[in-house]
Amino acid sequence: MEDVFDTQPIIGMVHLEPLPGAPRFDGDREFIRERAVRDARALMAGGVDGVIVENFGDAPFYSDDVPKHLVAEMTRLVRDVREAVTVPVGVNVLRNDARAALSIAAGTGASFIRVNVHSGARVTDQGLIEGQAHETLRLRDRLDADVRILADVAVKHSEPIGSENVEQETRDAVERGLADAVVVSGAGTGRAVDRERLETVTRVTDDLGVPAYIGSGMTHETASELLSMADGAIVGSALKADGKTNNPVSESRVKSLVESTK
C-alpha cells in the first residue's frame, strides 16, 4: 500500500444516501451527489489521507451481485468524488460485490477497494457470503487495473460458520487471497475493535509485510492508542456531526481526530 499512502493513513467514509432502486431512495439524485462531494471535501479539508465511497444507505443490501443500475450510479458518484478531492479514493460495494467495486475503481481511477468477505465464508444478515478472491484477482489482471484490495478479517455484522481462527483467516486473506492489506473491525458499525483481536491480526500482518487497518469504532479518545498498534484506520461515525453515522461529515471533528493522532 506504500504506492497509495506514504503515511499511517486516516481514511474517511463517504456514506452515500440511498441510491435509486433502494427502498429509502427519495428521488433526488442531485442531493445524493452534492452530499457525497460535500462530505469528501470536508474530509480532505479536515486532513484525512484518503476516502472510501460506500453505498451505506442501500439497506437491505444485496449479498454479492448488485444490479447494473447500482454500478452505474456509483460509478458516477465515485467519479464526482475523485474530481472533488486530491487524496486517494476507494470503493466499497455493499454487501460484498468485489467485482462491481473493482470495475468502478478501474473505470474511475480509484486507488483501492474494500472487500468485506474476500476469502473464506461468513454468516451475515444477507445469509451465507463466500469470498471470491479467485475471481477478484483474475478480474484485476484482465482489467489491468492498478487497484489495491483491502480485505476484512472476521468482518463486522457477521459470524463464523464454525469456530473462529482469526490468525489463520488473516494468513489466508494475504497468502492465499493475495490481499494488499487487511481490515479488522468491531462487531458492527461504529463498534470498537477488540484489542486482543487487533493484536493477533497485526502480529500476523507484521510477519507477512502488509498493513492492518482498523475498520470501525475508532474515536478521538482512542485514536492515539489504537494507531500505536495498527498501520492506519478507516473512520466513519466519529467524523460525522454529533458522532452519528447518518449525519454529514463535520470538518471540525475530522480536524480534531486527525490532530489527536499526531
Side-chain angles (χ1 to χ4, degrees):
M1 295 293 294
E2 292 85 356
D3 56 340
V4 179
F5 301 112
D6 57 9
T7 60
Q8 188 180 39
I10 302 296
I11 305 169
M13 293 299 309
V14 174
H15 288 133
L16 297 176
E17 295 291 303
L19 300 177
R24 294 172 178 166
F25 173 58
D26 67 1
D28 192 343
R29 280 183 168 89
E30 185 58 22
F31 172 75
I32 297 171
R33 190 196 72 80
E34 290 175 355
R35 167 74 179 267
V37 169
R38 185 169 62 247
D39 279 357
R41 286 174 172 163
L43 287 166
M44 185 177 73
V48 301
D49 304 289
V51 301
I52 298 180
V53 181
E54 178 183 275
N55 58 322
F56 181 79
D58 280 354
F61 304 112
Y62 294 94
S63 58
D64 58 5
D65 187 14
V66 303
K68 294 179 178 62
H69 67 80
L70 193 153
V71 177
E73 296 287 349
M74 286 197 67
T75 299
R76 174 175 178 261
L77 292 164
V78 172
R79 180 203 64 191
D80 290 345
V81 167
R82 277 210 70 234
E83 292 176 350
V85 300
T86 56
V87 295
V89 174
V91 183
N92 188 15
V93 179
L94 299 172
R95 170 65 153 134
N96 200 61
D97 197 336
R99 289 168 296 179
L102 183 59
S103 299
I104 293 166
T108 60
S111 301
F112 60 97
I113 64 173
R114 180 177 180 178
V115 185
N116 293 162
V117 184
H118 182 59
S119 58
R122 302 286 293 185
V123 178
T124 74
D125 51 310
Q126 294 79 35
L128 178 64
I129 294 182
E130 299 182 50
Q132 301 291 325
H134 59 293
E135 293 189 1
T136 306
L137 269 294
R138 285 169 173 80
L139 177 60
R140 184 170 68 174
D141 285 345
R142 291 198 301 274
L143 296 178
D144 192 25
D146 188 18
V147 176
R148 297 293 172 260
I149 298 169
L150 278 58
D152 277 271
V153 173
V155 68
K156 57 189 175 182
H157 300 290
S158 76
E159 296 291 339
I161 295 175
S163 59
E164 189 168 69
N165 186 329
V166 174
E167 179 175 351
Q168 189 59 53
E169 287 184 35
T170 305
R171 288 193 176 278
D172 285 346
V174 177
E175 294 182 323
R176 298 166 68 85
L178 306 186
D180 299 293
V182 301
V183 181
V184 56
S185 58
T189 301
R191 301 279 295 276
V193 63
D194 178 79
R195 301 296 204 279
E196 184 176 345
R197 173 171 292 189
L198 179 59
E199 290 175 353
T200 298
V201 171
T202 55
R203 184 171 63 249
V204 175
T205 54
D206 286 348
D207 180 52
L208 298 178
V210 301
Y213 299 141
I214 295 159
S216 72
M218 194 173 83
T219 66
H220 301 68
E221 293 76 23
T222 63
S224 180
E225 177 193 356
L226 289 174
L227 288 177
S228 70
M229 304 166 64
D231 300 294
I234 299 168
V235 190
S237 302
L239 305 182
K240 303 297 189 71
D242 300 322
K244 296 181 179 180
T245 308
N246 291 320
N247 283 350
V249 168
S250 164
E251 184 179 329
S252 62
R253 289 182 67 91
V254 180
K255 288 181 178 178
S256 176
L257 186 139
V258 171
E259 284 299 320
S260 74
T261 69
K262 296 179 180 179

